[in-house]
Amino acid sequence: MSHNIESVMPTAKEMAKMARRRQIKDRLANITIGFGGVFVIVAIALIFFYLLFEVWPLFDQGKFEQARRYEATEPKAAWVDMDEYNSTGMRLLPTGELQFFKVGDGSEIRRQALPVPAGVTVVSVQRAAVTTGLVGLGLSNGQVLVLAPDYGVEYGANDARTIVPGVRFPYGETPVVMDDSGQPVLHFALRGGDDTLKVLGVNTGRLVWSGYEKKIEEGAEGEVALGLTSEAEEDSGPKVFVRTSETVIDVPAASVRDVIIGQDARWAYVLSGNSQMTVLTMKDEGPVVYQQLPLTRSSEQVTALAALQGNISLLVGDNHGRIAQWFLVRDKHAEVDAFSLQKIREFTLGDAPVTAIVAEAKRKGFVAGDEKGRVGYFFTTSERSLGVHQAADAPIRSLAVSARSEGVYVQSDKGASFWSMHAEHPDISMKSAWGKVWYESYEEPGYTWQSTSGNSDFEGKMSLVPLTFGTLKAAFYAMLLAAPLAICGAMYTAVFMAPGLRRKVKPAVELMQALPTVILGFLAGLWLAPTIEGSLPGIFSLLIVTPIIILGCGFAWSQLSIEKRSILPDGWAPIVLVVPVLLGGWISFELSRPMEIAFFGGDIRHWLQAETGLGFDQRNALIVGLTMGFAVIAPIFSIAEDALFAVPRHLTNGSLALGATQWQTLTRVVLPTASPGIFSALMIGFGRAVGETMIVLMATGNTAVMEWNIFEGMRTLSANVAVEMGEAEVGSTHFRVLFLSALVLFVLTFVLNTAAEVVRNRLRKKYGSL
């Protein structure tokens, strides 16, 4: 017998070999686990740095620097323009000719005489809305000539691009008559349509709103007849425009210094004297004076005036080097639409009078120059300044910004220069992303997200505050439902429930984690939201009826004799509550419509709006709270239940042996000991709610509003990225702001997890010695 035992026992050599194998396996396991941990950390770090790499260009200061300076012997230009590639440009010379030149070296390409009558000179130049590209030339004989720069593109060998500059005359080469007395046209503004032209300006000492329509000049035996055209007729002669309407405006014309027509010709602005602004509302019967106000203090004077892209805002430069943005603001307290011109923000160019302002064609930025030769680039929405530089030693007279905002042509009294500009994302700053911004046509500053629009003069609104607010709001309402149910359920399951029932309940709850969130979102949007909307009183009554039923059943159970209660083994009592709770829920939903008729006038949504001022959207925070709360219950319950069940039995047995009840043992022994695990469960659930995408995407209206109202929707950071990333142009501001949203979400979850780990360690140190 002893021989057999000895034969089974391993020898010392074999035991040493086995020990070496175990050591090798332990080392491999440690290396694998350590490598996995390091790999996770590296992966998270790489994600962070990639997001930061995509976001960093948003806050790049950009470049605005002089690229070349031209000879001072070049004649001064009253108006300059460039093509979008910064290749060629055109200048209006004092002789009345257009000079086409190369931007690279300033060399002349050719000249073109304007179709103006003999002996007539150009005395003023006025741009129409920058998006139209129209330019009006006021003539010394009371006429106005309208032209539009035209840059043709030709491709030669090796796809070499050549720009062929020229001008078009969309309203004919015959100037329209503006001033009947033949006085020079110094102050005017124009708005063009396909077959109509509107001009607001001074005519024979009066401020006049004139309308012009297209005619066809037909020659008949030397005589000229003008007739209206129609779509069915073909042009049989050169186009001419004649005045068909004229409305005199009750504004003194003698002191008029500048005129601007607002967006869609709904408003007009007339600058008189030093700083007096008259706002005109353009009605069917003609312009009417709407408001008059000074733009500056008495010691200041307006020295330059221009319209920002879209012609909603005015850019007002004064003699102290400041440029202010003004636009009409609706009075939200007025019963009828009432507007007032208000100063919104201000920029500083220097300390000399501003002499020239020109707006960008596709963005809400502008370039300004002053009397000391300084030039600066500014962006209104973000209130950013790309830079202010000394461009000349003489006053700046005219400026031109290329259509792609990549170059600026500067004309001073002593020469000209070209400045390269590189600012890909000037519309984003820390203020515009996280602070209140007063956007055009808005009643007050606010946090707004509206990244795209169908308008060419759209002002991007990319505040991350409503998205962050929506993320926290969705997580809050989800945790409001999930946390109490999950923690209380975990407490009962771990401490009071019978082991046999626990083995069935716990896996069933954990199985909820396997449900795809896209399915939950689908059900929430298409089934739960309409159901809740149709049974809202039933939902409210359910919140009252369910606790009453549970308390009533508990009281009735306590009144039973011990013999009757012993029918069910200890820990199986919750089964008794299933039927009463379901019955109470069924009754609440059945009585929902009668309660709505009896207490809310048959329409609870209208009652909420009328009595409490709360709006109601079908897909709202309540739907998100119920659905996402259902999804978050499972992880919170599972982790918390494990933490509670893992409390050493000698602690609970000792507490019970000392005479404490099960409830006292739970609250004073089990909960403090398991608090690190419970806190971790809550933070993991909260992190899951913060990062959830599909449920909030499908169960809310995705409206970026900042309302704690549970019946209003929201838009979260994750849902916003999912919705808009597919339509964002790669590398655009919109594209990078979406990456910024992802970075904010990443940092938010990282901070939450870090805070949770710190608190969990402190709780572990505090209660770990029990």
Side-chain angles (χ1 to χ4, degrees), residues 52-302:
L52 191 63
F53 172 78
E54 292 289 350
V55 168
W56 189 258
L58 286 176
F59 303 101
D60 183 19
Q61 178 63 20
K63 295 181 180 179
F64 182 47
E65 55 191 9
Q66 181 175 291
R68 58 191 67 91
R69 181 182 292 272
Y70 307 107
E71 293 295 332
T73 56
E74 288 196 3
K76 293 187 297 182
W79 167 78
V80 293
D81 193 75
M82 289 188 302
D83 69 87
E84 61 179 325
Y85 303 106
N86 301 327
S87 174
T88 60
M90 60 184 71
R91 308 165 72 241
L92 178 61
L93 302 180
T95 60
E97 295 177 298
L98 281 176
Q99 179 193 47
F100 302 101
F101 65 96
K102 294 181 180 181
V103 175
D105 55 12
S107 61
E108 181 178 310
I109 300 175
R110 62 184 175 87
R111 294 191 181 191
Q112 177 179 335
L114 293 174
V116 297
V120 175
T121 59
V122 178
V123 294
S124 64
V125 181
Q126 296 291 336
R127 296 174 182 264
V130 292
T131 54
T132 65
L134 297 178
V135 179
L137 307 180
L139 306 181
S140 58
N141 65 345
Q143 295 180 328
V144 173
L145 177 65
V146 182
L147 59 85
D150 183 25
Y151 298 97
V153 181
E154 296 180 355
Y155 291 92
N158 300 323
D159 292 332
R161 182 177 59 217
T162 302
I163 305 298
V164 182
V167 290
R168 296 181 294 106
F169 299 93
Y171 301 99
E173 297 187 7
T174 302
V176 298
V177 177
M178 177 62 199
D179 194 306
D180 298 319
S181 64
Q183 296 297 316
V185 180
L186 299 176
H187 310 296
F188 68 98
L190 56 91
R191 172 180 171 79
D194 292 337
D195 297 324
T196 60
L197 178 67
K198 298 285 187 179
V199 179
L200 177 64
V202 178
N203 177 355
T204 319
R206 305 168 302 167
L207 186 64
V208 177
W209 174 246
S210 303
Y212 301 83
E213 293 185 6
K214 184 173 71 173
K215 311 287 183 177
I216 298 300
E217 189 176 18
E218 298 177 350
E221 297 181 357
E223 296 181 358
V224 176
L226 296 179
L228 287 171
T229 63
S230 65
E231 295 182 359
E233 297 174 335
E234 294 184 358
D235 293 354
S236 57
K239 289 188 299 183
V240 294
F241 279 72
V242 297
R243 185 162 48 206
T244 57
S245 64
E246 183 178 282
T247 304
V248 179
I249 306 167
D250 187 19
V251 173
S255 59
V256 171
R257 293 176 49 206
D258 211 336
V259 181
I260 291 177
I261 299 176
Q263 183 189 36
D264 298 331
R266 291 179 295 179
W267 302 90
Y269 309 92
V270 180
L271 176 65
S272 304
N274 287 340
S275 64
Q276 186 70 18
M277 176 61 70
T278 301
V279 181
L280 306 176
T281 177
M282 315 297 277
K283 297 186 177 182
D284 294 338
E285 60 273 17
V288 177
V289 175
Y290 187 85
Q291 181 187 9
Q292 291 182 322
L293 75 162
L295 296 180
T296 61
R297 293 187 291 268
S298 57
S299 61
E300 300 171 347
Q301 179 181 356
V302 175

